[in-house]
Amino acid sequence: MNTKEAVNKLNELELKEFALGHAMGIMSYDDETVAPKTSYIPRGKTMGVLSEMSYNLSTGEEAMGLLDYLKEHMDELSAEDRRRVEIRDKQARELRAIPVDEYVAYSELTNEASGVWREAKNKSDYKLFEPYLGKIVDFQRRFAGYAAPDRDPYDYMLDLYEEGLTQEKCEVFFRSLRERIVPLLERVKAAEPVDTGLLSTPFPIPAQRELAHRLMTIEGLPEESVIIGEVEHPFSTGFSKYDNRITTHYYEDNFASSMYSLLHEGGHALYDMHSDDRYSFTSLNGGVSMGVHESQSRFYENIIGRSREFVELARPVLTELCPALNAYSGEQMWRAFNAAAPSLIRTEADELTYPLHIMVRYEMEKAMVKGDVKTAELPEMWNALYKEYLGIDVPDDKNGILQDSHWSGGAIGYFPSYALGSAYGAQLLCKMSETLDVAGAVREGNLSKISRWLEEKIWKYGCLLKPAELMERAFEGPFDPNHYTDYLEKKFAEAYNL
Ligand code: ZN
């Protein structure tokens, strides 16, 4: 085998991996949106077969032999192919480090745990979920030990979602946010409250569906390659430039919820579908990390979607589809969409308090993984942190520690990427504003000017660059969270006349 043949083999292998991932992803999307209740029975079988095929394909003898060959010939490879080898090598090491029997036991545990978590949440009874959470943390800690015995286990987990992220970086980042967001929130709480009555204006669901399509067009998502599904917890999933599924939910008395979840998921889809064409069907296609992904989704949701100019742009569409909203000016709408107050639920939190919800979870995860706190005491710790960071009392587990699904699925280390993404987005806005009249582009409804900038600086790279390097190149300098806190101070000083 020569290097050219090896790269051809790599292309074939990654196409097969794409195909299996595509099939499984479509099945999961189908499950979340339209599949009938009992379809879980055949789907369980099919997913079992496909995931075993996928595991064997990616970590079997042939793939590992190819990887070894390519690693020995790195200097003959292009920068793109070297990165592909690097990504595969990292994934293969992680997967193969875990003994198969433990991997299977863990899959069974998380499969069961998600059902138990749902029941515990409905009954607001942490005790039901507690033994599962304890076991999940134990497994995760052991897996980290297998894959990276020399590293701190929580650092290893953070790196799974945001390559290069460590607790040291998180500490600096969260400290700088806390120092400025906590006093800012105190000022907002002391200010005259914003009138949010218009947010509960009844907005018929068929009209909200039409609104979602109009917003999709404004955001620049092509109808022929992106579809909107309806689910309880919105998400998006992208398979190639030509096949993107975003989701939302509709509540008649809360139209802003679907409006902003649509813009958020649309941001994910835009990122996913604009990798360089040459990366299609390879491991370089799509978004590079959760943090960078959230920087794009939250950019469209908050920085663009909650700007004065966007609200003015959307107002004629909103009043056409829901004439009762004619009673409110664009200014009133803008203030209502930016109302901020401490609340219990992360997914419903406003832009200002959102990072405080993330910090609570970061402190919890750190303590859980270190073993500093007994699983029985976790709700107490959660409630104390909500009191400390947000100044509110948590009434029960349902509105407290049981609210998110992440831990039941084993996703420990994921949360910090949400806050990091928000901060990345604000610094991108600063950089973009040096060469582009961002507010002007939104005012004239020409969001393509913004998306071309993001495509050029972020999207087209796919997974080629590591997240921190990608962002530093886009910023043309180091990451600095002060851009984010400056942005929040400016916006909320305006919204609340501080
Ligand atoms: Zn998101």
Side-chain angles (χ1 to χ4, degrees):
M1 183 161 58
N2 62 35
T3 309
K4 190 165 179 284
E5 285 163 355
V7 171
N8 285 340
K9 277 200 180 313
L10 179 65
N11 292 339
E12 283 169 25
L13 172 64
E14 291 193 344
L15 174 61
K16 285 182 188 161
E17 287 173 340
F18 166 82
L20 286 171
H22 190 192
M24 287 192 281
I26 295 283
M27 288 194 80
S28 303
Y29 175 85
D30 178 79
D31 171 28
E32 299 268 356
T33 51
V34 293
K37 198 171 169 193
T38 57
S39 68
Y40 75 91
I41 298 167
R43 187 172 49 253
K45 297 280 179 209
T46 305
M47 289 293 243
V49 170
L50 293 181
S51 50
E52 193 183 335
M53 280 169 74
S54 168
Y55 183 88
N56 291 338
L57 183 68
S58 300
T59 61
E61 245 170 65
E62 208 182 323
M64 296 318 288
L66 177 63
L67 181 60
D68 287 339
Y69 179 91
L70 289 165
K71 274 162 67 184
E72 281 160 25
H73 296 80
M74 285 293 254
D75 52 346
E76 296 163 39
L77 300 178
S78 66
E80 277 89 356
D81 292 338
R82 277 202 299 275
R83 174 68 172 153
R84 291 164 78 190
V85 171
E86 191 184 276
I87 292 171
R88 295 196 73 79
D89 191 36
K90 185 169 183 267
Q91 284 168 350
R93 248 184 299 138
E94 276 154 12
L95 274 174
R96 287 171 67 101
I98 300 167
V100 175
D101 55 333
E102 284 195 45
Y103 189 80
V104 172
Y106 174 72
S107 305
E108 282 167 8
L109 173 69
T110 49
N111 201 15
E112 208 183 317
S114 60
V116 174
W117 163 75
R118 200 161 292 132
E119 193 196 339
K121 185 179 169 181
N122 285 338
K123 293 184 176 158
S124 195
D125 184 359
Y126 172 75
K127 282 270 165 282
L128 291 175
F129 181 55
E130 188 198 319
Y132 289 85
L133 181 58
K135 282 184 202 159
I136 287 172
V137 174
D138 282 345
F139 264 113
Q140 285 285 340
R141 210 188 287 129
R142 263 206 314 281
F143 290 172
Y146 294 141
D150 308 332
R151 295 184 62 192
D152 178 279
Y154 190 45
D155 277 348
Y156 170 78
M157 295 173 201
L158 290 168
D159 185 83
L160 290 177
Y161 301 96
E162 190 67 14
E163 197 177 357
L165 188 63
T166 60
Q167 287 164 81
E168 203 184 329
K169 289 181 185 169
C170 283
E171 294 295 327
V172 175
F173 172 56
F174 286 131
R175 195 179 320 119
S176 75
L177 298 194
R178 203 159 42 224
E179 276 168 8
R180 292 182 62 191
I181 292 178
V182 171
L184 176 59
L185 180 60
E186 287 307 315
R187 288 163 66 205
V188 165
K189 276 157 69 180
E192 175 137 359
V194 162
D195 185 356
T196 55
L198 71 94
L199 298 178
S200 49
T201 305
F203 200 131
I205 286 171
Q208 286 195 51
R209 288 199 185 99
E210 174 61 21
L211 174 64
H213 283 275
R214 304 269 196 102
L215 289 170
M216 198 171 137
T217 305
I218 293 174
E219 202 174 0
L221 295 161
E223 299 257 2
E224 66 270 21
S225 50
V226 186
I227 201 159
I228 307 172
E230 295 180 25
V231 294
E232 193 185 336
H233 298 288
F235 65 94
S236 84
T237 178
F239 303 104
S240 88
K241 158 167 306 187
Y242 307 104
D243 187 356
N244 284 273
R245 318 290 172 104
I246 59 177
T247 59
T248 189
H249 51 209
Y250 301 107
Y251 305 121
E252 195 170 280
D253 59 355
N254 185 1
F255 70 94
S257 180
S258 74
M259 174 172 168
Y260 285 102
S261 75
L262 190 284
L263 292 173
H264 179 100
E265 302 306 335
H268 283 305
L270 284 169
Y271 180 25
D272 271 334
M273 62 196 296
H274 284 93
S275 298
D276 191 306
D277 273 338
R278 291 174 300 143
Y279 303 163
S280 297
F281 313 114
T282 77
S283 55
L284 297 182
N285 192 59
V288 67
S289 71
M290 293 322 303
V292 180
H293 243 301
E294 285 300 313
S295 78
Q296 303 307 297
S297 56
R298 301 180 72 77
F299 191 90
Y300 280 92
E301 176 192 356
N302 292 323
I303 295 179
I304 301 298
R306 288 190 159 88
S307 69
R308 262 206 175 81
E309 294 75 20
F310 189 86
V311 175
E312 286 294 348
L313 181 71
R315 188 176 178 276
V317 184
L318 291 168
T319 53
E320 179 199 326
L321 296 171
C322 178
L325 288 171
N326 268 310
Y328 305 98
S329 67
E331 181 69 15
Q332 285 170 311
M333 286 185 183
W334 176 71
R335 281 178 199 270
F337 290 145
N338 283 292
S343 62
L344 290 164
I345 307 294
R346 175 187 65 87
T347 53
E348 288 160 27
D350 55 78
E351 198 181 357
L352 176 59
T353 57
Y354 189 86
L356 301 174
H357 291 260
I358 298 302
M359 285 178 218
V360 169
R361 288 151 178 80
Y362 170 69
E363 293 298 333
M364 298 286 298
E365 290 185 341
K366 222 169 46 172
M368 271 156 45
V369 176
K370 277 207 175 67
D372 285 351
V373 55
K374 293 196 183 82
T375 44
E377 291 160 3
L378 287 169
E380 224 172 284
M381 179 177 176
W382 178 284
N383 300 352
L385 285 166
Y386 262 79
K387 187 78 183 168
E388 185 188 339
Y389 288 3
L390 287 130
I392 50 173
D393 293 307
V394 178
D396 51 32
D397 296 339
K398 184 186 170 104
N399 290 288
I401 191 166
L402 293 176
Q403 64 181 270
D404 296 306
S405 65
H406 298 59
W407 295 339
S408 69
I412 300 170
Y414 187 128
F415 285 117
S417 62
Y418 290 113
L420 195 64
S422 302
Y424 280 164
Q427 191 165 349
L428 285 175
L429 173 69
C430 281
K431 196 66 205 166
M432 191 187 286
S433 302
E434 287 176 11
T435 51
L436 181 67
D437 173 11
V438 180
V442 179
R443 202 177 297 118
E444 65 195 35
N446 195 349
L447 267 62
S448 65
K449 285 185 182 170
I450 293 163
S451 54
R452 290 296 73 76
W453 193 94
L454 290 169
E455 181 177 8
E456 209 38 52
K457 304 283 182 183
I458 309 280
W459 301 345
K460 73 173 186 187
Y461 289 100
C463 300
L464 180 65
L465 304 173
K466 288 185 182 177
E469 187 191 349
L470 172 69
M471 299 318 290
E472 278 168 15
R473 282 202 198 185
F475 302 150
E476 294 173 29
F479 168 52
D480 176 3
N482 283 313
H483 290 99
Y484 178 41
T485 38
D486 286 348
Y487 158 84
L488 291 173
E489 272 180 11
K490 182 167 177 283
K491 184 177 206 177
F492 288 93
E494 249 178 80
Y496 279 85
N497 302 317
L498 300 178

